[in-house]
Amino acid sequence: MKDFWTLRGVGPIKPLPGDETAEFRPGTPAFMRSYQAMIAAPRLARTVGTLQQIINGYQRSSSWSKLAPRTKSDYVKAIIRIENKWGSYPLDAIEDPKIRSRLLSWRDEMAVASPRQADAVFGVLRIILEWGRDRGLVAINHATRPKKVYRADRSDKLWLPENISTLRAAAPYELLLAFELALGTGQRKGDLLKLEWNAYVDDARRPGRKRLQLVQGKRKRKIDMPVPIALQALLDSTLRSAPTILARNGKPWGMVNFDHNWRKAILAAGLDGLHFHDLRGTACTLLAEAGATHAEIAAMMGWTVTTVHRMIETYAAMTATLSDSAVAKLESKAGESAE
């Protein structure tokens, strides 16, 4: 006697290709694979030929799997909004040149509530469509090169010498260490919070000196840099209570916990308005003031030379050091002419 199973309204439940010889009855892996495939079939049929097909493919791709967990979390929030608005659109409509104005209008509607979030969601749409274009699913990406609606101007948010001195005098040690590590290396907060002591190694070319070696989480760029001597002295005197360099009560910092305590320290020091991320631009400016070339700064920060140039253009005018140097050179030239 042979048993047969049927899914009401769909048809008989049969083994999938490759499961023909496997045990097949309710509850077995082979049966459940077939059952789930039959349940999913109508939904998959509805997505074929729509933007949802590209979205699903992107989320199953290596491009998606390579993203950092935090990036995936941010992308998922954007994808939900994209699916709700455009997921059911046929690919023919997504390829139509007229769709661009509709996409930008949608972006502008979101920007009323949050320009920054609107740009972020539209950026994820651009990435998904580009992934689809590369694979021949659409012929053109109509979400490319949009002018951003959000422009963050933090050119007046440089950590000036007096700000640095104030923070150094007021911050608890575990936050001071994070501050000095950011200022001395120019690395992102997320990378510094994950930085382990095994990344702090002897410098083979300079006896007695140390280096930091890490791979940045965002761009996967490898950084191998000497540690400034003042920062090295601080690190050498720090108790290694956790695998990570930055820790509190013997445990690595969590991002939320760190941000909460950092905010408290900033307010206590009277430095409201300055962000931890601004230390990255500050480090770039200090390196430029010290005479480092754009290529040297790029190697240390993990940026492109173009990014370094843009950062220096943004921040250099905020410091007195460069203007002092410029006037000194002018006066020196005038002195030479008078002789």
Side-chain angles (χ1 to χ4, degrees):
M1 180 177 178
K2 189 173 182 180
D3 294 324
F4 296 90
W5 294 273
T6 300
L7 183 61
R8 182 179 298 176
V10 180
I13 305 176
K14 299 179 180 180
L16 295 174
D19 283 340
E20 292 88 352
T21 60
E23 183 181 5
F24 195 79
R25 56 180 175 78
T28 63
F31 185 92
M32 295 310 297
R33 280 193 290 269
S34 180
Y35 176 79
Q36 293 296 336
M38 292 180 72
I39 291 293
R43 176 179 58 81
L44 293 175
R46 289 194 300 270
T47 64
V48 172
T50 68
L51 179 60
Q52 191 66 52
Q53 178 187 359
I54 297 180
I55 294 173
N56 294 345
Y58 173 69
Q59 290 186 287
R60 292 192 298 265
S61 70
S62 59
S63 299
W64 175 265
S65 62
K66 291 176 182 178
L67 297 176
R70 174 64 184 273
T71 304
K72 283 183 181 178
S73 177
D74 291 340
Y75 277 25
V76 165
K77 296 173 186 176
I79 286 172
I80 290 172
R81 302 187 72 166
I82 295 167
E83 287 176 331
N84 290 339
K85 179 67 178 180
W86 306 104
S88 61
Y89 268 59
L91 294 182
D92 287 345
I94 296 298
E95 290 182 318
D96 190 321
K98 295 178 182 178
I99 197 68
R100 182 171 176 84
S101 64
R102 299 188 66 180
L103 294 176
L104 290 174
S105 294
W106 173 63
R107 190 274 312 268
D108 293 343
E109 289 171 7
M110 291 189 291
V112 173
S114 174
R116 185 172 186 175
Q117 187 177 73
D119 282 337
V121 172
F122 202 82
V124 174
L125 174 62
R126 176 187 59 78
I127 290 169
I128 290 171
L129 287 176
E130 191 61 22
W131 181 88
R133 189 191 65 80
D134 284 345
R135 284 149 186 82
L137 299 175
V138 288
I140 190 168
N141 178 359
H142 286 298
T144 57
R145 298 188 298 277
K147 292 184 178 179
K148 291 181 179 286
V149 292
Y150 174 78
R151 292 289 181 184
D153 182 9
R154 298 196 59 79
S155 59
D156 61 340
K157 301 302 180 183
L158 192 70
W159 284 78
L160 299 175
E162 56 268 28
N163 304 138
I164 294 173
S165 297
T166 298
L167 195 284
R168 283 172 172 164
Y173 184 80
E174 62 267 19
L175 292 174
L176 177 63
L177 181 61
F179 173 82
E180 298 292 357
L181 199 57
L183 191 62
T185 67
Q187 301 304 308
R188 296 180 183 86
K189 176 176 58 179
D191 291 328
L192 294 178
L193 291 178
K194 295 177 182 177
L195 191 62
E196 297 189 350
W197 281 108
N198 58 19
Y200 183 57
V201 300
D202 291 331
D203 191 330
R205 295 189 291 272
R206 301 187 305 167
R209 297 299 300 276
K210 296 282 190 176
R211 302 184 72 83
L212 279 174
Q213 298 175 339
L214 67 143
V215 177
Q216 294 179 326
K218 187 173 182 179
R219 302 297 183 192
K220 307 303 180 186
R221 292 189 175 116
K222 184 177 180 181
I223 303 298
D224 184 356
M225 59 168 289
V227 179
I229 193 165
L231 178 59
Q232 179 176 327
L234 186 63
L235 291 173
D236 287 343
S237 65
T238 299
L239 177 66
R240 302 190 180 194
S241 59
T244 54
I245 294 175
L246 299 180
R248 188 187 188 210
N249 298 328
K251 297 180 180 180
W253 281 103
M255 181 69 77
V256 174
N257 193 20
F258 178 85
D259 287 345
H260 175 70
N261 283 273
W262 175 260
R263 177 65 176 163
K264 285 172 58 179
I266 286 293
L267 293 177
L271 296 172
D272 190 20
L274 287 173
H275 296 176
F276 192 91
H277 182 73
D278 295 326
L279 290 168
R280 199 150 155 78
T282 303
C284 173
T285 304
L286 292 175
L287 288 167
E289 290 180 350
T293 67
H294 288 192
E296 290 168 342
I297 297 172
M300 176 174 163
M301 309 282 286
W303 282 339
T304 63
V305 173
T306 301
T307 299
V308 172
H309 181 73
R310 185 177 69 251
M311 292 296 291
I312 292 175
E313 277 190 330
T314 300
Y315 289 106
M318 283 295 299
T319 66
T321 305
L322 292 179
S323 60
D324 289 348
S325 176
V327 172
K329 290 177 179 178
L330 179 64
E331 292 175 342
S332 175
K333 185 65 176 180
E336 291 176 2
S337 300
E339 290 178 357

